[in-house]
Amino acid sequence: MNKITAAITAVGAYVPDFVLSNQVLETMVDTNDEWITSRTGIKERRILKDADKGTSFLAIKAAEDLIAKANINPLEIDLVLMATATPDMQVSATGAYVATQIGATNAFAYDLQAACSSFLYGMSTAAAYIESGRYKKVLLIGADKMSSIVDYTDRTTCIIFGDGAGAVLFEPNHEGLGLQDEYLRSDGVGRDFLKIDAGGSLHPTTIQTIEEKRHSIRQDGKTVFKYAVTNMADASEQILKRNNLTNEDVAFLVPHQANKRIIDATAHRMNLEDSKVLMNIERYGNTTSATLPLVLNDFEHLFKKGDTIIFAAFGGGFTWGSIYLKWAYNKQ
């Protein structure tokens, strides 16, 4: 019997209709289009304006898109993994609600949180379930309503983040395609540099924490940038070395869409030409857990069966890593 590998067999995505452009941000905070574009590569981001809709709404839409395109029965899904840094609420797992709403009532579901590395880590988790032989269809969703935790008076963060969701289906493969290797890392030194300070068990919600805006995301931009450039590039380089891959072997790099300069540095370390580096940061900004699947969805038409694809991400915590995957199908 051939070894079971875990292959991506379908993708789906959803972004809200409302576009928050750099020009609109200029009317909200002290910034401008040239400054934002030159430092981040972002021109616009999508925002879920409905106050009564959370991350689950985005996730459901992305999952429904995948189900419709792949023409699969939701009852056949064994597991729903929900990668998110912005769950609908504490305690009650967003993934469980999403699974029920999409009709995956035979699946078990839970949330996975590793900041911007959530989807990357979720790929590793989904693959392990498939490779165990006990599960045939694992739906991995990356979704975040980042606008719910952004302070739109803080120009250092409000220019970066957007809302969105993407989903992929992992299934067993016996041709040697799918996830080949992973290089995943973390370092708790990052705890103080990218965080939401209050609302957790360390600093529970009080009137004071609300008044001090300690429930919004904050970052030490220079420190985060330095760590991200070094570690995302290093992880990608390590995955190539471990698998005796050269830049010629790589069909595409699918990087976390946090900052164009970070992506460029990673691509430079891998010695990749621009056409192999996939980016949509200009249109969506940093959608955190949704960046990788949104890239897959936008560029799915380019992928050919057997293509070597390298994924890379970096997130708060700090968390980071790289995954080597062989694409399993040609889009019809």
Side-chain angles (χ1 to χ4, degrees):
M1 181 177 176
N2 293 337
K3 177 186 175 184
I4 298 173
T5 52
I8 292 174
T9 58
V11 301
Y14 175 79
V15 291
D17 293 331
F18 182 83
V19 176
L20 178 59
S21 66
N22 289 349
Q23 286 72 24
V24 174
L25 279 174
E26 288 178 3
T27 69
M28 299 167 59
V29 291
D30 182 17
T31 191
N32 61 71
D33 174 66
E34 191 280 328
W35 192 93
I36 297 171
T37 304
S38 64
R39 284 162 176 78
T40 68
I42 302 169
K43 284 288 189 181
E44 57 188 39
R45 61 292 290 149
R46 301 298 185 94
I47 303 295
L48 180 58
K49 297 291 283 185
D50 309 57
D52 61 342
K53 292 183 172 66
T55 294
S56 63
F57 174 81
L58 303 168
I60 291 165
K61 287 289 191 180
E64 289 176 340
D65 181 52
L66 181 150
I67 289 167
K69 289 195 299 187
N71 192 28
I72 65 168
N73 184 347
L75 295 175
E76 296 177 353
I77 298 171
D78 301 308
L79 164 63
V80 175
L81 286 172
M82 182 72 200
T84 185
T86 56
D88 281 4
M89 57 186 73
Q90 294 191 46
V91 181
S92 181
T94 301
Y97 177 72
V98 170
T100 298
Q101 292 301 113
I102 64 174
T105 52
N106 289 324
F108 71 103
Y110 63 89
D111 296 356
L112 190 156
Q113 207 281 80
C116 290
S117 301
S118 295
F119 191 86
L120 188 79
Y121 284 16
M123 290 177 66
S124 171
T125 306
Y129 278 109
I130 293 293
E131 291 166 3
S132 75
R134 294 196 296 271
Y135 305 94
K136 304 299 183 186
K137 285 182 168 61
V138 176
L139 180 64
L140 171 62
I141 306 170
D144 272 303
K145 184 182 178 182
M146 292 303 293
S147 61
S148 67
I149 58 171
V150 167
D151 173 5
Y152 284 94
T153 66
D154 175 16
R155 67 174 183 172
T156 65
T157 57
C158 73
I159 65 170
I160 299 170
F161 297 103
D163 302 338
V168 301
L169 184 69
F170 276 92
E171 293 186 272
N173 184 278
H174 298 279
E175 301 177 273
L177 303 173
L179 198 148
Q180 305 294 308
D181 194 17
E182 61 186 41
Y183 181 87
L184 306 178
R185 293 292 184 269
S186 63
D187 188 342
V189 71
R191 180 178 169 105
D192 292 328
F193 301 117
L194 179 55
K195 63 180 179 178
I196 294 177
D197 184 55
S201 60
L202 185 62
H203 301 295
T205 304
T206 65
I207 292 175
Q208 183 178 357
T209 63
I210 294 172
E211 290 176 344
E212 294 174 351
K213 295 185 177 181
R214 292 168 62 190
H215 297 267
S216 298
I217 191 167
R218 305 291 180 191
Q219 71 168 351
D220 178 337
K222 290 182 179 179
T223 301
V224 172
F225 180 84
K226 180 182 70 173
Y227 273 92
V229 166
T230 301
N231 290 313
M232 206 164 104
D234 178 66
S236 301
E237 186 178 42
Q238 289 297 324
I239 205 79
L240 294 184
K241 287 182 177 178
R242 280 173 31 158
N243 292 279
N244 297 313
L245 297 170
T246 69
N247 62 320
E248 295 297 324
D249 298 316
V250 177
F252 297 103
L253 170 67
V254 177
H256 172 52
Q257 309 287 301
N259 184 301
K260 186 178 183 297
R261 290 186 294 167
I262 296 172
I263 296 171
D264 289 342
T266 302
H268 178 73
R269 182 82 74 87
M270 297 171 69
N271 195 27
L272 293 180
E273 55 194 69
D274 291 347
S275 62
K276 292 185 175 184
V277 184
L278 304 184
M279 283 189 276
N280 56 16
I281 188 172
E282 178 178 304
R283 291 182 290 128
Y284 302 138
N286 182 354
T287 54
T288 305
S289 307
T291 62
L292 298 182
L294 281 174
V295 170
L296 290 181
N297 186 76
D298 282 0
F299 295 96
E300 181 190 17
H301 62 283
L302 297 179
F303 304 151
K304 299 294 185 290
K305 186 175 180 179
D307 276 353
T308 289
I309 299 178
I310 304 298
F311 295 78
F314 181 89
F318 290 127
T319 58
W320 72 93
S322 182
I323 282 177
Y324 162 31
L325 177 139
K326 284 190 174 292
W327 196 249
Y329 65 94
N330 297 317
K331 186 177 180 182
Q332 299 299 320

